[in-house]
Amino acid sequence: MASSSRSHSRSADPDLAAFSDDDDGKDGRDGKDVLEVDENEVSASTDFSDTDTDDERAHYTASVKRFITENGRTYHSFQHGKYAFPNDEEEQLRLDLYHHIFTLFLDGKLFSAPVENPRRILDVGTGTGIWAIEVGFQFPDARVIGNDLSPIQPRWVPSNVVFEVDDAELAWMQRPGSVDFVHVRFLACAISDWPQLLQRAYTALRPGGWIEFSDYGGELSCDDGSTPADSSLRLWFDVVAEASEKSGRPLRIAPSVAALMAAAGFVDVTQRTYQWPIGAWPADPKMKEVGRWTLPGALDSLSGFSMGLLTRVLGWKKEEVDILVAKSRSELLSNTMHCYSTAYNIVARKPLAATTTTPP
């Protein structure tokens, strides 16, 4: 059963728990597998919330959907500038593609946390809403809430799914101890204070509730020398990471999240990492499938990820970004680079004996 999506908007010390690092296979080289190369491949309808009354909660108006256009791409207008990536149709297609890729990592599952019979699920930074919608179908008795700076989610959704225009960096609207599962995916480069975000998730969760984080590490790796140190693609990764650091919203946050979860008070913190190939060069069938889907997504990401950051933060001209993007695209399409990044999937639980307090 489907219903019109309902939207809301607003503007603007626990013991550390040990965590496990459950990598997907290791060898003697920095604890990583070396992917074998396949030589054959070389060559919204809206409601208003009664809670929207304080100074930081704005009325839901047409201005929220009046997106900002920069250098040929559109960006969110609500809390403009907080998220550096676009929200246009091209980016929405990429987000849905990356959703599919992460389900490949998780063997077709939407999440890896051992969640059972949840009553309330929160998808932080829901993007197109595809994860929230599919989880809504999986758990028809649960209330699924997806929030995002951009109201780009579909109008017709399962009746138990609701979308909110919201800023996850402001005080959360969820009551303390009211959520069974918090899902955080693809928010690297979007958050300035990760300890605060995780503390708010901890507070929102009921004792025994779960949090799951998924993203990529933001680095470019290669084990066989096929990706030169002076390649344009390596430069692209490095300058995007540099700009994100200078903006105060780091891209390369994923390697730190497990420790930050433990510091926030979560227990049973489990981290799984996966090599994320770009292109169908791996011999392993699963990784080949991942890489085959990743290549078009990476090609689409080159401009979207870099245009806002490099022009706003590093002062590049649009033409300079376009040249770097074109060179990086050419390298990826040459089918000679056996490069990859690292995908992270991290789950943790709020202790059953935890008390819930309101975070700062």
Side-chain angles (χ1 to χ4, degrees), residues 42-100:
V42 177
S43 54
S45 174
T46 68
D47 289 337
F48 291 95
S49 168
D50 291 337
T51 63
D52 293 343
T53 56
D54 65 15
D55 291 341
E56 290 184 318
R57 304 190 197 282
H59 295 298
Y60 188 86
T61 64
S63 63
V64 175
K65 287 190 173 183
R66 195 175 299 126
F67 299 143
I68 307 298
T69 300
E70 291 181 13
N71 298 310
R73 305 298 297 266
T74 65
Y75 298 83
H76 65 96
S77 55
F78 172 63
Q79 300 286 74
H80 176 57
K82 277 199 166 186
Y83 186 64
F85 304 152
N87 63 4
D88 49 28
E89 184 176 0
E90 181 180 349
E91 174 66 3
Q92 292 174 44
L93 291 172
R94 185 198 66 80
L95 287 171
D96 286 351
L97 176 60
Y98 275 38
H99 166 79
H100 172 67

Side-chain angles (χ1 to χ4, degrees), residues 99-147:
H99 166 79
H100 172 67
I101 292 169
F102 243 94
T103 64
L104 293 177
F105 283 126
L106 301 182
D107 297 323
K109 297 185 296 183
L110 293 170
F111 54 88
S112 62
V115 176
E116 296 182 359
N117 302 316
R119 300 184 303 274
R120 198 172 187 88
I121 299 171
L122 176 63
D123 186 25
V124 182
T126 194
T128 66
I130 188 171
W131 186 91
I133 291 169
E134 293 186 8
V135 165
F137 281 121
Q138 182 172 340
F139 297 110
D141 295 328
R143 171 97 163 161
V144 183
I145 303 165
N147 63 34

Side-chain angles (χ1 to χ4, degrees), residues 88-270:
D88 49 28
E89 184 176 0
E90 181 180 349
E91 174 66 3
Q92 292 174 44
L93 291 172
R94 185 198 66 80
L95 287 171
D96 286 351
L97 176 60
Y98 275 38
H99 166 79
H100 172 67
I101 292 169
F102 243 94
T103 64
L104 293 177
F105 283 126
L106 301 182
D107 297 323
K109 297 185 296 183
L110 293 170
F111 54 88
S112 62
V115 176
E116 296 182 359
N117 302 316
R119 300 184 303 274
R120 198 172 187 88
I121 299 171
L122 176 63
D123 186 25
V124 182
T126 194
T128 66
I130 188 171
W131 186 91
I133 291 169
E134 293 186 8
V135 165
F137 281 121
Q138 182 172 340
F139 297 110
D141 295 328
R143 171 97 163 161
V144 183
I145 303 165
N147 63 34
D148 203 276
L149 294 172
S150 290
I152 56 174
Q153 302 76 33
R155 180 182 179 90
W156 295 98
V157 299
S159 58
N160 60 325
V161 176
V162 62
F163 293 117
E164 301 171 343
V165 180
D166 198 2
D167 181 356
E169 294 194 292
L170 300 181
W172 286 18
M173 293 190 283
Q174 287 68 37
R175 296 190 310 275
S178 65
V179 178
D180 298 283
F181 183 29
V182 173
H183 181 253
V184 180
R185 188 177 66 175
F186 303 147
L187 288 190
C189 209
I191 303 299
S192 62
D193 191 339
W194 277 95
Q196 182 184 72
L197 182 94
L198 295 172
Q199 189 61 60
R200 285 174 171 161
Y202 183 94
T203 298
L205 283 166
R206 63 168 178 80
W210 290 89
I211 184 173
E212 181 160 338
F213 167 94
S214 297
D215 218 314
Y216 87 117
E219 87 295 353
L220 185 69
S221 300
C222 177
D223 296 325
D224 64 0
S226 62
T227 307
D230 62 350
S231 68
S232 295
L233 189 61
R234 284 194 185 277
L235 175 61
W236 183 92
F237 270 83
D238 289 343
V239 294
V240 168
E242 177 190 353
S244 73
E245 289 288 342
K246 288 187 175 181
S247 75
R249 303 176 188 279
L251 174 66
R252 294 171 175 169
I253 189 63
S256 304
V257 169
L260 293 174
M261 285 182 176
F266 288 101
V267 297
D268 297 336
V269 184
T270 302

